[in-house]
Amino acid sequence: MGILAEFREFAVRGNVIDLAVGVVIGAAFGKIVTALVENLIMPFIGLLTGGIDFSRWAITLRAAQVDAAGEEIPALVLGIGNVVNTIVQFVLVAFAIFIAVRFINRLKRQQAEAPAEETPAEPSEEVKLLREIRDGLRKPEAPIV
């Protein structure tokens, strides 16, 4: 089998396509959560904490400087606000996934608990033979003349 044929077989396998769909949906979901955190949740948290804008919250370790050649050396800054935003985003994504998995597991559990309407199974040959013997013994015998 050539490498192209093997790759084609791999690429069209159901699991690979499912994974690709999951990655695309996950990326879109990540963008939604990022927008939700940055535009709705963090401003509200900032309001509750006295107007702190977490996206600009940073600690400057070294201020910007100009070296002897006249070139600017940028400031050395720890972006704590970005870390807080990322943590909030992670918690929201993890919680949303937890709720989705919990819902799916509950549906699976309900389907497993529901009694399946089964058609009665065909009796085995032994059971059929024993029924014939039983029915034959029940018949009244004809009188002997």
Side-chain angles (χ1 to χ4, degrees):
M1 177 183 288
I3 191 164
L4 291 177
E6 191 175 342
F7 176 74
R8 189 177 131 257
E9 180 183 336
F10 169 76
V12 296
R13 191 177 299 159
N15 294 340
V16 173
I17 294 171
D18 292 342
L19 178 63
V21 169
V23 167
V24 170
I25 290 175
F29 184 69
K31 289 180 182 180
I32 291 170
V33 170
T34 300
L36 178 73
V37 169
E38 290 177 354
N39 298 319
L40 295 176
I41 294 176
M42 293 313 289
F44 182 69
I45 291 174
L47 180 67
L48 292 176
T49 59
I52 297 174
D53 182 7
F54 282 97
S55 64
R56 297 184 185 178
W57 189 27
I59 297 174
T60 303
L61 298 177
R62 184 183 68 209
Q65 301 172 351
V66 178
D67 65 3
E71 294 190 23
E72 182 179 348
I73 300 172
L76 184 59
V77 178
L78 295 178
I80 296 175
N82 291 333
V83 173
V84 170
N85 281 345
T86 304
I87 290 171
V88 171
Q89 290 173 9
F90 171 77
V91 169
L92 287 177
V93 169
F95 184 71
I97 291 172
F98 168 74
I99 294 298
V101 169
R102 184 173 180 227
F103 178 72
I104 291 169
N105 286 341
R106 185 175 292 164
L107 287 178
K108 286 182 180 179
R109 200 174 318 124
Q110 287 175 352
Q111 288 177 351
E113 291 174 358
E117 295 181 23
E118 296 180 11
T119 59
E122 184 71 25
S124 68
E125 291 298 321
E126 292 175 336
V127 172
K128 288 179 183 179
L129 182 60
L130 289 172
R131 285 181 182 168
E132 287 179 23
I133 294 171
R134 179 196 63 199
D135 293 343
L137 291 174
R138 284 188 184 165
K139 293 182 182 176
E141 293 184 27
I144 300 178
V145 185

